[in-house]
Amino acid sequence: MGPNWTGHHPRAAWRGLLNDGKVGEHMQTKVNDVVSLERRGNVAVISIDNPPVNALSHPVREGLLASLRYAIADEDARAIVLVCAGRTFVAGADISEFDKPPQPPSLHESLDAIEVSPRPVVAAIHGTALGGGLELALACHYRVAVGSARFGLPEVNLGIIPGAGGTQRLPRLVGVNTALHMIATGAMIGATEALQSGLIDQIVEGDLTEGGVAFARQVSAEPRQHPRVRDRDEKLAEARAEPHLFDDFRASIARKSRGFLAPGVAVTAVEAAVNLPFDAGIARERQLIAELLQSEQSKAQRYFFFAERKSAKIPGLAADTPVVNVSRAAVIGAGTMGGGISMVLANAGIPVTLVEQNAENLERGLGVMRKNWEATAARGGLSQGQVEERLARITPTLNFEDIADADLVIEAVYEQLKLKKDVFAQVDRYAKQGALLATNTSGLDVNQIALATARPERVVGMHFFSPANVMKLLEVVRGDRSSDTAIASAMNMGKKMGKVPVLVGVCEGFVGNRMLAARGKQADRLLLEGALPHQVDRVMFDFGLPMGPYAMADLAAGIELRWRRRQETGEMDFIGDRLAELGRFGQKVGKGYYRYEPNSRAPLPDPEVEEIIREASRREGLQRRDISDQEILERLVYPMINEGARILEDGVAIRPGDIDVIWVYGYGWPTYRGGPMFYADSVGLAQIRDRLVALQAQHGDFFRPAALLERMAREGRRFQEWEQTRSAATVGS
Ligand SMILES: NC(=O)c1ccc[n+]([C@@H]2O[C@H](COP(=O)([O-])OP(=O)(O)OC[C@H]3O[C@@H](n4cnc5c(N)ncnc54)[C@H](O)[C@@H]3O)[C@@H](O)[C@H]2O)c1
C-alpha cells in the first residue's frame, strides 16, 4: 500500500507555492530545510541538501515524502528525478538515530511511496550512494549516474545488514553473486560495473541533473510499465538453479569474517530474497537486522566507527593550525621500516630521498621495495609502469646533504639512542628550516632525540608498525617541545599516507607496545605455571586476534630482539635465552616457540620447546598445573586494560577510544569487540577491578588496579562515558 497523499491536497499546496510567486519553472522551492522541489518542463526535480553527506535523517525522510506527494499530484510532472546537492548522493542513514526511538516516516515508508509512485522516479547519482542511500536508489524505477559514482552497502562494517530492502532488492537487480559480495563484505563498485551488472541504467556525461531530466523525459514518453525492482525475478531464478552458491560463498569469506556475526546474517538475508516472496523477504530482513542491532558486536562496531573519527580530533589544537606542506620527503635508513615508509610515501605520490650509511644496505633496501611492488603487480594491484613510476620517486643517496630540499624527514635507523641523537644532529645541520622532523623509534625517548637538534619544536615521533607499507596504524608521538604545527603536520601527513594517525605521549612503548608488554609478561608467567605457547595463542586467536603472543614473536623476530635487549639490560629470561642460544629465532629460520615445516607458516608445537618450558618451571620451583582458557584470557587481557587505564591517567593517550583505535589498527583487535577499553566496559569495570584484586592477592602487585580504574569502577562509570578533562597540552608532558 502506498501512502494516502490525496488527503493532503498536495496539488493545491504546490500550486500555492507556484502561485504566490516563489516558484516557477527552473526555480527551487524549499519543501523544508533540507529538501527542495522544482519543475523543469514536464519533469519534477526533488533535491536533497543535507550536508555533509546527505544522510537520511528525519527531516530528509519527511521532506522527501512531502515533495514526492506534491510532485505526484502535479499533472504537469510526467516523471520525477531525485538528486542531491553537495559532494555526494545520499551516503547513508543517520547513524546517530540508530539507538533513538524511530521518528516517522520510516525509511521503509518513504521507499515504498517511491516504488508505488504512478510517475517514474529516476535517481541521479554522483559521489557515493551508500547504505540507505543505495537503498533509496533501489526503490526508484531507474538509476542514472556520473562515471565517477560509487555504490555500496557497507552496513556489515557496523555489524548490521541493510535494513530498508537492500538485501531483497539488490540481488534482484544485479544477481546474487554481486549482491552477496557487496552486502556481506561491504565492497563498493564503480559506475562501469554498476552499468554492466544492471544496477544503473545509464552513465550520464555532462550535467547530472540535466542528464537525469533528459532520461526521465525519455522513459516517461514511452508507453510502458515502469519497472519496480521488487517485481523482478530473472536473476533470482538463475541463483535457484545453483544450489551450492550460498555455501560456496560462505566458505569463501570464512577466513576474513571469522568471529563476525553480520556477514553470515547478510548471506541468510540474501538467501531469503531468493527463496521467499518479496514482502516475506522484507519481513525476514527486518527481523534479522533487529537481532543484529541488539547484539554486542554491532554496538562495538558502531562505537568503533565513531572512536576512529574522534581520534583524528585533537582538543586544544586549532582547526586552522598551519601545517607543513610536504612536496618532498627524506627517509634515513633503508632497512625494514625505512623501506616500508619510503614505499608508503611514494605510493602517496611524494618523492623520497632515501639516505643510507652504506651502499650495500641501500641496494638491499631498494631491492626489497622493488620485490614488494612487483608482488603487488603480480596480484594485479599495480601495472608494471606504475611499479617503475613508484621506484622512480625514490632517490637513493649516501650523502646527508641531500635531505636539504625535504619538507619531512623520517628517521628509521637502528634502535640506539646515541646513534639516533647523532643522526638528528646531522638532520638539524642539513634539513631546511620549517621541515617536520620525525623519528620512527619504537621505544626511545623522543624528547632526548629532539634535544639533539636546535629545533625540538619541529620534532615528533612517527611510530609506524611493521610492515609499514601494510599496517594502518601510525602513533604520532608528541614530545614536550613539539609545536602545534608539528603535531598537526604529522597527523595530516599520516592521513595523506593512508594511515590512521593517533596522537600519543612519550613513555616506554608509547600506547600499543606498552600494553603489549603488560600482556607479554603475563603470557610468559603462564608458561611457567603450566600453560604452553599453543594454548596461550589459541585463547587469543579464539578471542578474535589474528594470532597470539608466541606466533607473533616467531613472525616478528621477537625472540632475537628481546634477547639483544636483555644483553644490554642484564635481565634474565630462561626460556627466551635458551631459545636464542639454540638459534631458534622464529619463522625465518623455521623454528622459534614453534617449529615450521619448510615453506609453511603453520606453527607446530615442538617437544624441544616444551621441555625448555618444563625446565624453567622446575627452576622456579613451580608445580605445573592445568590452566583454564578463561584464566588465560583474564590474565592476558585484564592487565592490558589496567595498563590502558594508567596510560589515560598519565595523559599518554587522549581518550579510551584512541587506545581502541591503536589496538584495532596496530594489532588486529577484532572490531566486534570494540577495542580493549570498550571490551572492559562490556565486561564491567567493577568485575575487572574485583578480578584484578583477587589476582593481586594471589600473584602480587603486578595486578594492582590502576587508580583510575578503581575510581571508575567505584563510581559505576564506563570508559565510553569518558570526558575530556585534561587539556591536550598534558598529553606527553
Ligand atoms: N622492525 C619493526 O618491527 C619496527 C617497528 C616499529 C619501529 N621500528 C623502529 O624503526 C627503526 C628501524 O628499525 P628497522 O627494523 O627498520 O631496522 P633495520 O636494521 O632493518 O634497518 C636500519 C637501517 O638503518 C641504517 N642505518 C644505520 N645507521 C645509519 C646512519 N647513520 N645513516 C643512515 N642509515 C643508517 C642501516 O644501514 C639499516 O639499513 C628502529 O628505531 C626500530 O625500533 C621497528
Side-chain angles (χ1 to χ4, degrees), residues 411-420 439-445 449 463 510 561 565 568:
E411 165 276 316
V413 301
Y414 304 127
E415 183 80 342
Q416 293 156 11
L417 186 60
K418 175 158 179 344
L419 172 65
K420 299 227 184 224
T439 169
N440 179 49
T441 178
S442 8
L444 299 173
D445 185 344
I449 295 171
H463 183 214
F510 311 123
L561 288 174
R565 200 168 316 138
E568 282 173 25

Side-chain angles (χ1 to χ4, degrees), residues 234-256:
E234 325 81 82
K235 295 199 172 168
L236 301 184
E238 284 169 20
R240 282 185 209 108
E242 280 187 78
H244 293 296
L245 196 156
F246 289 101
D247 284 345
D248 290 352
F249 184 80
R250 279 197 179 90
S252 76
I253 60 164
R255 204 175 60 84
K256 275 199 137 171

Side-chain angles (χ1 to χ4, degrees), residues 199-260:
L199 177 53
I200 59 174
D201 301 285
Q202 194 176 80
I203 293 181
V204 172
E205 311 284 343
D207 183 78
L208 175 63
T209 309
E210 277 306 315
V213 167
F215 182 90
R217 201 165 282 145
Q218 184 196 328
V219 290
S220 63
E222 293 168 9
R224 62 153 143 168
Q225 270 302 93
H226 297 294
R228 301 190 308 177
V229 175
R230 57 175 290 147
D231 300 331
R232 315 249 319 236
D233 193 61
E234 325 81 82
K235 295 199 172 168
L236 301 184
E238 284 169 20
R240 282 185 209 108
E242 280 187 78
H244 293 296
L245 196 156
F246 289 101
D247 284 345
D248 290 352
F249 184 80
R250 279 197 179 90
S252 76
I253 60 164
R255 204 175 60 84
K256 275 199 137 171
S257 63
R258 181 177 73 93
F260 286 90

Side-chain angles (χ1 to χ4, degrees), residues 335-337 356-357 361 412-415 420 440 442 464 466:
T336 310
M337 296 306 289
E356 249 297 338
Q357 59 175 350
N361 288 0
V413 301
Y414 304 127
E415 183 80 342
K420 299 227 184 224
N440 179 49
S442 8
F464 292 83
S466 184

Side-chain angles (χ1 to χ4, degrees), residues 332-453:
I332 323 268
T336 310
M337 296 306 289
I341 295 166
S342 302
M343 287 181 73
V344 179
L345 286 161
N347 287 343
I350 300 168
V352 181
T353 304
L354 180 56
V355 188
E356 249 297 338
Q357 59 175 350
N358 71 54
E360 197 188 325
N361 288 0
L362 191 53
E363 252 338 282
R364 195 180 45 222
L366 288 167
V368 172
M369 288 157 73
R370 173 178 282 281
K371 203 180 88 215
N372 285 341
W373 271 318
E374 280 180 347
T376 309
R379 286 194 305 270
L382 285 177
S383 68
Q384 194 56 40
Q386 285 170 317
V387 171
E388 298 306 329
E389 199 177 277
R390 288 180 195 201
L391 273 164
R393 289 192 190 127
I394 314 276
T395 310
T397 177
L398 297 172
N399 296 325
F400 241 103
E401 300 95 274
D402 294 345
I403 67 169
D405 55 356
D407 308 292
L408 163 68
V409 181
I410 303 178
E411 165 276 316
V413 301
Y414 304 127
E415 183 80 342
Q416 293 156 11
L417 186 60
K418 175 158 179 344
L419 172 65
K420 299 227 184 224
K421 285 168 112 175
D422 289 349
V423 166
F424 268 80
Q426 294 253 63
V427 167
D428 193 28
R429 201 159 141 211
Y430 297 111
K432 68 157 94 147
Q433 286 307 314
L436 175 67
L437 312 180
T439 169
N440 179 49
T441 178
S442 8
L444 299 173
D445 185 344
V446 173
N447 291 324
Q448 288 199 49
I449 295 171
L451 287 175
T453 73

